[in-house]
Amino acid sequence: MNSGGINVHAVRLPGLMAHQEVIFGAAGQTLTIRHDTINRECYMPGVILAVKEAAKRKGYIYGLDKLLGL
């Protein structure tokens, strides 16, 4: 897939919940940032925070930045 001149690839693998990799490059060099999750347990702190914060608020909440106070 090409989005605005940037190639975007998706890979599905068994045993891998989510994998994100960003590669920046220039002549003769690359910088890679990678994040892997292997189970749903890692999402629980965020789910708990969202439920607690959403219960305190009224109306529609758009964006995690509002719940995190950013």
Side-chain angles (χ1 to χ4, degrees):
M1 178 175 132
N2 188 299
S3 177
I6 299 171
N7 292 320
V8 179
H9 304 279
V11 177
R12 302 289 186 258
L13 296 171
L16 197 59
M17 287 285 305
H19 166 84
Q20 298 83 32
E21 188 171 83
V22 179
I23 303 171
F24 300 97
Q29 61 184 338
T30 61
L31 170 64
T32 303
I33 301 170
R34 178 178 167 149
H35 175 256
D36 293 310
T37 58
I38 54 174
N39 62 40
R40 290 178 175 85
E41 183 179 322
C42 64
Y43 297 108
M44 292 315 297
V47 170
I48 292 168
L49 171 71
V51 169
K52 286 180 179 179
E53 289 296 317
K56 296 178 191 175
R57 301 164 189 254
K58 293 185 182 200
Y60 182 75
I61 302 168
Y62 179 80
L64 290 174
D65 55 329
K66 310 292 187 299
L67 297 180
L68 296 173
L70 301 177

